Amino acid sequence: MPSQPIVVLTSAIHPDEHARLAGHATVRVSPDARPETLKAAVADADGLVVRNPLPADIFEQAPRLKGVVRHGVGLDMIPMEAANRRRIPVANIPGSNTASVVEYCLAAMLHLRRRLAAVDAMLRAQGWSPARSFGESGDELAGQTLGIVGVGAIGSRLAALAQALDMRVLGLTRRPQTLPAGVQAVDKPTLMRESDVIVLACPLNEQTRGLIDAQALALAKPQALLINVARGPVVDAAALLAAIGAGRLGGAALDVHDVQPLPADAQVFRHPGLLLTPHLAGSTAASMRRMSRGAVDEMLRILRGEAPLNWVNQHEINAD
């Protein structure tokens, strides 16, 4: 009887979906996400499910690999050019965490505008009257302008919710003709100048790396909020911290960072005007189950010799 195929998980997935995959393959979870560990783990693997950044040369160590599935959407964790050269199919799970990321953005907007953490701390430390007085300095989202950089699935759904809250919505995208109804296409300077809240929901590529730099931040309103659910390098971190420290920006919510995990001495911890989270905007109990279910579905297709439904590099592999 032929042995089962081997599938490596860079991190654990939902236990129910792990069990389903284990019914068709030998499943191994990498003990850590260090490059050498991951390269050793895939040496005899037939499939790879990705939740951590892969080293650039990982596919050179995986001669049996039949396909890679991103447990989520963003492909920056995968060396795509190397996958294309070695003709390794790569799939992702589009839409699997859209609701979670959108809800995170909305929660961050409300948290920062209403200064809820500071009100809570003041109520506990100083009592009712000081906290109530301070809380009255918070603001509403209604009537404000939301600028969204990257109006894909996440940006479009966020735009709809923002409009339901009576916000004006601006969009910065490479394809203005695809913007949903009610979203005004603008260039970067206009978005930075006119937005009260700026949400970054774009992919990381050469066009977006460092997109929000000192020059862009200098255009922003002093009370503007910045929310980054894209990737850390989309923002010039030093320029952002300088703007926050000088009071030239009202606050920011950062779910993604230049270095992950954040080191204990990271500069961002010194700025109380920041809401910091550990890259979890897309991670909820519901989204984890959806991402794991989709990843297992795609991996089983690959192991059966079928094309994945969301084969992101099909054109590149079949071009010649």
Side-chain angles (χ1 to χ4, degrees):
M1 184 175 179
S3 60
Q4 284 190 318
I6 296 170
V7 176
V8 171
L9 314 178
T10 66
S11 290
I13 64 175
H14 192 282
D16 291 349
E17 296 305 319
H18 182 125
R20 183 162 69 96
L21 181 59
H24 302 272
T26 299
V27 182
R28 299 176 183 166
V29 182
S30 179
D32 59 64
R34 292 179 298 176
E36 294 308 314
T37 304
L38 293 174
K39 287 190 282 188
V42 301
D44 58 351
D46 298 282
L48 177 63
V49 177
V50 177
R51 291 193 63 199
N52 302 93
L54 301 179
D57 60 345
I58 190 168
F59 298 137
E60 297 173 15
Q61 324 298 322
R64 288 175 39 177
L65 201 60
K66 297 180 176 65
V68 176
V69 179
R70 172 71 171 96
H71 186 279
V73 182
L75 300 172
D76 56 295
M77 292 184 177
I78 301 171
M80 292 300 299
E81 290 186 7
N84 296 342
R85 285 197 306 271
R86 298 184 71 87
R87 306 180 71 82
I88 298 173
V90 176
N92 68 349
I93 318 300
S96 55
N97 60 5
T98 297
S100 297
V101 177
V102 169
E103 290 181 10
Y104 173 96
C105 292
L106 187 58
M109 291 160 62
L110 292 167
H111 174 96
L112 292 170
R113 270 291 172 251
R114 297 298 300 269
R115 303 179 179 183
L116 297 181
V119 171
D120 176 85
M122 188 171 288
L123 176 60
R124 295 171 188 273
Q126 300 181 36
W128 185 274
S129 295
R132 183 175 175 85
S133 178
F134 177 80
E136 290 174 355
S137 66
D139 209 346
E140 299 175 350
L141 296 176
Q144 296 196 351
T145 296
L146 170 64
I148 304 175
V149 179
V151 194
I154 291 168
S156 295
R157 188 173 298 189
L158 179 61
L161 289 176
Q163 290 178 79
L165 292 173
D166 293 327
M167 298 185 78
R168 173 190 178 217
V169 183
L170 309 178
L172 177 62
T173 177
R174 293 177 299 168
R175 299 180 297 276
Q177 69 277 9
T178 66
L179 288 174
V183 179
Q184 178 185 348
V186 294
D187 57 17
K188 185 173 76 168
T190 301
L191 183 139
M192 296 301 298
R193 280 194 301 266
E194 298 189 11
S195 297
D196 299 290
V197 183
I198 301 159
V199 173
L200 308 178
C202 54
L204 175 64
N205 51 44
E206 290 310 306
Q207 289 70 47
T208 61
R209 186 178 296 274
L211 183 72
I212 306 302
D213 55 11
Q215 184 178 9
L217 290 168
L219 299 174
K221 298 179 180 181
Q223 294 305 312
L225 304 177
L226 179 72
I227 299 172
N228 189 5
V229 292
R231 288 294 185 266
V234 173
V235 178
D236 181 332
L240 174 63
L241 294 182
I244 292 285
R248 290 184 278 106
L249 201 65
L254 305 178
D255 184 55
V256 288
H257 312 274
D258 283 351
V259 177
Q260 296 185 178
L262 276 172
D265 61 350
Q267 291 287 326
V268 291
F269 290 128
R270 303 178 187 177
H271 291 265
L274 297 176
L275 171 63
L276 304 174
T277 51
H279 201 161
L280 53 64
S283 299
T284 61
S287 69
M288 285 297 296
R289 182 180 286 275
R290 284 194 299 270
M291 287 186 282
S292 293
R293 183 187 304 120
V296 169
D297 286 345
E298 290 287 49
M299 183 52 65
L300 292 178
R301 291 185 187 98
I302 290 170
L303 295 179
R304 292 194 299 262
E306 302 172 7
L309 291 183
N310 299 296
W311 185 357
V312 297
N313 61 341
Q314 181 177 13
H315 175 75
E316 289 78 5
I317 289 178
N318 294 333
D320 45 60

